[in-house]
Amino acid sequence: MNKIRNYFSIITIGFSSFVFSQGSVAVSTYPQVADQQNLVKDLTAEKALLSPKEQIEFNINKMFTDPVLRNANWGFVVYDTKTGKIVTSYNETAPLIPASTTKLLTTETAFSLLGTKYRWNTQLEYSGSIDADGVLTGNLYIVGSGDPSLGGNRGGAASYGQIVNQYLQSIQEKGIKKITGDIIIQTAIFKENKTELPQNIVWLEQANYFLPVGTTKDINPRNEKLIVSQSNNPFNQEKKYFYISPYANKLVYADKYEGSWVTTKVAEPPAFLANKLRESLVKNKITVVGKVTPKIVDGNPEPREILSNYKSPTLAEIVAYTNQRSDNGYAEAILKSNGFMKLGDQTTESGRVVVTEHLKATNFDIAGLNYMDGSGLSKAHTVTPISQVKFLTALMKSPYYKEYMESLPIAGQTGTLKHMFLLNSNGQIFAKTGTLNHVKCLAGYIKTRSNRTLAFSLLINNYAGSAAQVKDRMEQLLDPTLDL
């Protein structure tokens, strides 16, 4: 940990600036946030006398008395990626809640295990035989593999309508005019059907909610009325936030988990796709005798042939969307795919095991690490700032560093950093943001004016005031790093 020095010149400048800024007005016993912000922003004299490192340390000192941060638990480190040494730091070994900077670990593991060009497949298959009149005596199958972008029409993914048109065309080209069987949704790759919630998930923060892959994608649960299955349920069919169990039409009220199941009208993406396909077939005068039905477990699968295969965008494109937008659903899907790749079991727990083992194998500093989910929604998740910067430094030597770097929001320009660092640091900070209730985090890279590449981590927990005030402090602390 860097020992914050008491520079006499710094104290003199800070004190005199504070005195002049107060004038003859009586000083409150509790520092005013507005005055503190003006004090921080108007201290231009310090730049003429202090080095960039001393400016950063002076800003750290000011935070100890800042009403927004003085009772917060936070850590900060700037790391030279070339020399492997700390440039400046404070509390860098403290285990802190990283929020969505967790996605840095989840997505890097996916690049390592799956490769940047990996794609999820959603196949249309058929069983049985097709006669001369175009009658398929058999079933259609939609076989999913956990595509987080399925039907979403974002991040390079096709819409449901586009996928249906692709499938319809393949059916017509095969000469099929009637289907005697069902349209079966095959999703056996997903083995998870949890009856308990992930530990300490934050549900209501910024309209985010825990969304396992393959459920109600693109649906805001706040707009859905739950249909309660128990007559004595206390929720009385009010609109509530909920947890959705993968591939089971059951939901759990998420503000306070009591273990009671409820059901909903909201469809899962594979089921939605299958029903849209059936509608399209009927509209195009292709008869479907059977119904849309799931078959999660198929102990005796019948022989099938592929009609069409919809491929998701590449993993590089999915990761870019995930990190730019901080998409929790995508991150959790990627986590499960990590688990499936190594353990053959596409569950959250398998993903957690695989990511943790991958980090250990790549010499990640696991002191203080508690990896709980793929997205960072859990407040039980902790990591140290020093481990994040060492991780980011090592990653620069990986074959997928270019794609990883391109996935990070750019200060003042893209993604979740578009509205931060609009002046001094615009275009020179590349970082993942993280936000939960009273948690603000940033971790990534700094391109300095002298063309150095620095890694940094700034994790702030339990702050007072607003998120905008914390963002302002983060900018003040990081702006001088451009001159290092």
Side-chain angles (χ1 to χ4, degrees), residues 98-346:
S100 281
T101 63
T102 298
K103 294 180 176 73
L104 294 170
L105 308 182
T106 307
T107 54
E108 187 276 333
T109 302
F111 275 162
S112 175
L113 299 180
L114 305 173
T116 59
K117 296 181 180 180
Y118 177 84
R119 296 176 188 266
W120 286 266
N121 296 318
T122 305
Q123 295 180 174
L124 178 67
E125 304 174 356
Y126 75 95
S127 64
S129 59
I130 305 169
D131 66 18
D133 295 324
V135 177
L136 169 61
T137 305
N139 302 309
L140 288 180
Y141 286 81
I142 292 179
V143 183
S145 62
D147 178 5
S149 66
L150 184 64
N153 196 26
R154 55 183 182 175
S159 66
Y160 286 114
Q162 290 171 321
I163 300 172
V164 166
N165 287 337
Q166 176 184 324
Y167 287 177
L168 175 63
Q169 183 179 350
S170 68
I171 292 170
Q172 291 172 329
E173 290 175 352
K174 198 69 176 178
I176 297 173
K177 298 177 182 177
K178 181 179 180 179
I179 300 160
T180 63
D182 297 325
I183 299 177
I184 298 172
I185 309 162
Q186 188 83 60
T187 55
I189 192 171
F190 294 94
K191 301 178 182 179
E192 185 174 65
N193 188 4
K194 300 179 77 70
T195 57
E196 74 277 351
L197 300 178
Q199 185 180 2
N200 293 339
I201 285 292
V202 179
W203 296 95
L204 308 183
E205 174 65 31
Q206 294 192 339
N208 289 329
Y209 50 94
F210 189 73
L211 181 59
V213 62
T215 53
T216 58
K217 200 169 136 34
D218 291 333
I219 302 295
N220 188 333
R222 291 178 298 175
N223 299 328
E224 295 300 322
K225 181 178 287 186
L226 306 187
I227 304 170
V228 181
S229 60
Q230 292 93 348
S231 59
N232 61 348
N233 193 290
F235 305 133
N236 296 322
Q237 296 190 12
E238 297 177 8
K239 293 182 179 180
K240 298 291 184 182
Y241 291 80
F242 51 78
Y243 165 83
I244 309 171
S245 182
Y247 297 102
N249 286 327
K250 294 182 178 181
L251 311 179
V252 178
Y253 176 57
D255 196 36
K256 182 179 179 182
Y257 178 61
E258 300 290 355
S260 300
W261 292 106
V262 295
T263 59
T264 183
K265 63 182 181 179
V266 179
E268 302 163 351
F272 187 80
L273 177 61
N275 280 288
K276 282 291 184 183
L277 176 60
R278 191 181 194 283
E279 290 175 12
S280 181
L281 290 170
V282 173
K283 183 178 179 180
N284 284 273
K285 303 187 185 306
I286 298 175
T287 303
V288 182
V289 176
K291 59 185 179 180
V292 173
T293 182
K295 184 179 283 187
I296 297 177
V297 179
D298 194 351
N300 187 25
E302 56 185 341
R304 304 197 296 259
E305 293 197 27
I306 296 175
L307 277 169
S308 183
N309 180 25
Y310 168 71
K311 291 181 175 290
S312 76
T314 65
L315 179 61
E317 292 173 293
I318 294 288
V319 166
Y321 188 91
T322 301
N323 286 337
Q324 287 284 333
R325 306 293 185 91
S326 202
D327 190 289
N328 296 324
Y330 277 27
E332 295 303 330
I334 292 169
L335 176 69
K336 292 181 179 183
S337 292
N338 289 339
F340 181 74
M341 179 56 61
K342 290 287 285 186
L343 301 179
D345 188 4
Q346 193 153 350

Side-chain angles (χ1 to χ4, degrees), residues 1-5 7 10 46-47 49-61 76-80 85-90 448 452 454 476-484:
M1 180 185 297
N2 181 34
K3 297 180 180 178
I4 306 302
R5 302 174 180 87
Y7 295 100
I10 300 175
E46 69 185 59
K47 294 184 178 180
L49 299 176
L50 305 178
S51 69
K53 181 178 178 182
E54 289 170 342
Q55 291 174 35
I56 296 168
E57 293 175 344
F58 180 45
N59 287 337
I60 292 174
N61 270 312
F76 173 58
V77 60
V78 177
Y79 197 75
D80 191 321
K85 295 181 179 180
I86 293 175
V87 177
T88 186
S89 66
Y90 166 72
T448 72
R452 296 171 70 187
L454 305 175
Q476 293 166 18
L477 190 57
L478 287 168
D479 276 344
T481 62
L482 298 184
D483 294 317
L484 287 168

